[in-house]
Amino acid sequence: MKELFRAIPAVDQCLEALAAADPMLAQTPRPLLRALVTDFWDARRQEIRAGHCCHAASLALKVSLPRLLEHVRSALRPRFREVLNATGVVVHTNLGRSVLAREARQAVSLAASGYSNLEMDLQSGGRGSRHTLVEDLLCRLSGAEAALAVNNNAAAVFLVLDEFCRGGEVVVSRGELVEIGGSFRIPDIMKKSGAHLCEVGTTNRTHLRDYAAAINEHTRALLRVHTSNYRIVGFHSVVPLPELAALAHEHGLPLLEDLGSGSFMDLSPFGLPGEPTVPAVLAGGADIVTFSGDKVLGGPQAGIIVGRRNAIERLKKNPLTRALRCDKLCLAALEATLRLYLDPQQARERIPTLQRITMSSEELLRRARILAGRLRKALGQSCSVTVRPDVSRVGGGAFPQYDLPTSLVCLKPLQNSTSALKNALLHTEPPLLGRLDRDCFCLDPRTLEVDQFPQVVKVLQGALLGLSGQGKNDMQRTNKIGENNKLRAQFEGLKRVINVETQCP
Ligand SMILES: *Cc1c(COP(=O)(O)O)cnc(C)c1O
């Protein structure tokens, strides 16, 4: 063991070798590089102690350099990275939800690159309010009297409950006590806001009389929560919005509606189920409506609150609004996105989320075929490539259970397992995310741009090459020549099925 420890090269020697191997590393702060090299050798020392390293030669700098380089490069790589989304889930919360329209990206860049009139009234030269930047647009698009944007929809719901319901009761149907995910549960957020939850009805059926019976002198509001991410089907009933609004107003109470994934546009002409739009919910009698900026709306992360003027004015004065406000980059992106909605046709074409949700199945098939063709050419015999019909999901809790018809490009590596390929693709530059289905790794063109196809081809090529290299090493190490030959024979047989567009096995 002593001999092994002695074989570990000096840190300065490693630093020199790194700088020679990658000139970019010369720009890295020296103490940081030194610390990374030390970490690397500490890990090797652990391996030696654990008996996983028995050859001094393997520790020589010449031999270790590639691994050391990889360690240093991966540690220096930014943590926040671009990924290729081939999952087909348009509003993928884990992958950053909505992709911004070009107009919104330009607005963000402008806001980030210089000073702006964020809180300056350019008419008077006096202090302005950041809230006015998007209020007119939100009112025009929703038909509301007033509007306010905060950090996200969870914050919007929290703020509204804090302002109007703290210390009192809020009546909610048992069918709407939802958990959105990431531990956002309506009952919990109500508790935090100091509002007491008054549950009425049952999971599947709630009637107007249930709400009426619950109203007392402590009641501050009636709340409807859009059951974004699940559906109750079968024997069930909810109270129609106008009836509930009438009941609330009879008692001088506001009707609050958390729409979750609010939209200004009716997407039913594109074959999606008719979800209530923000203007429709306001017209139906809701006094305050909250929804997300980055779900189906397709803008930046934001919580949008629209409704009655006096209510919104009260919210603007709530000290929590200061804590939950949007930053300038968000407001820039939100304004640019909302502007696109002034022309619905333009919104559908330019806002990536809308464009992807409404993409026709013919277009998806065309794109799948283009991608499959390029992959066949590039991957040759390492992988079978087929196209088959399937479905995509909107995501973000919007349109649950609704299947968007799509065409998948299905890959089946001939020498490696599909899950090995999936894992290898997490470490490519950029990582590529798809879905595992029926023993295939599947790419859904809905969430890829055509100009990303070359990148997709490149990372797949790299991943498969890496896997086959690994496979070879394993075989050499264990000297399983026989198995190697068997694989090769299998591989020859499988060549014939390549380039045939069929159902996935
Ligand atoms: C998504 C969602 C939220 C939370 O919105 P964020 O913008 O993610 O904070 C709240 N309520 C409902 C009904 C939702 O669907």
Side-chain angles (χ1 to χ4, degrees), residues 321-334:
T321 301
R322 173 63 181 77
L324 303 174
R325 73 183 186 185
C326 296
D327 81 313
K328 61 181 178 181
L329 303 185
C330 165
L331 287 167
L334 186 58

Side-chain angles (χ1 to χ4, degrees), residues 97 152-155 157 178 180 184 186 225-226 228 258-261 292-295 302 396-397:
R97 290 199 181 157
N152 58 13
N153 189 33
V157 174
V178 300
I180 307 303
F184 179 89
I186 286 293
V225 182
H226 192 60
S228 322
D258 175 20
L259 254 187
S261 185
S292 283
D294 57 353
K295 290 186 182 170

Side-chain angles (χ1 to χ4, degrees), residues 148 159-160 162-165 254 308-319 321:
L148 174 67
L159 175 63
V160 167
D162 177 84
E163 179 62 42
F164 300 104
C165 311
R308 303 226 178 269
R309 178 166 310 283
N310 58 354
I312 301 290
E313 291 311 319
R314 275 178 65 180
L315 290 172
K316 284 182 186 165
K317 294 196 192 96
N318 187 316
T321 301

Side-chain angles (χ1 to χ4, degrees), residues 198-210:
C198 176
E199 300 175 27
V200 297
T202 60
T203 306
N204 58 332
R205 286 169 77 85
T206 303
H207 306 285
L208 191 64
R209 59 174 186 274
D210 296 324

Side-chain angles (χ1 to χ4, degrees), residues 2 38 51 73 77 113 119 135 143 158 169 199 210 221 224 238 290 313 333 369 379 381 397 404 460 467:
K2 243 186 219 154
T38 309
R73 283 189 183 132
R77 206 178 279 148
S113 317
E119 292 193 349
E135 185 164 13
F158 181 62
E169 290 179 8
E199 300 175 27
D210 296 324
R224 293 215 319 169
V238 294
T290 55
E313 291 311 319
R369 284 188 170 143
L379 304 182
Q381 336 216 293
L404 301 166
L460 271 163
L467 285 175

Side-chain angles (χ1 to χ4, degrees), residues 138-161:
L138 285 170
C139 291
R140 186 180 296 275
L141 294 168
S142 66
E145 294 169 6
L148 174 67
V150 292
N151 184 61
N152 58 13
N153 189 33
V157 174
F158 181 62
L159 175 63
V160 167
L161 291 173

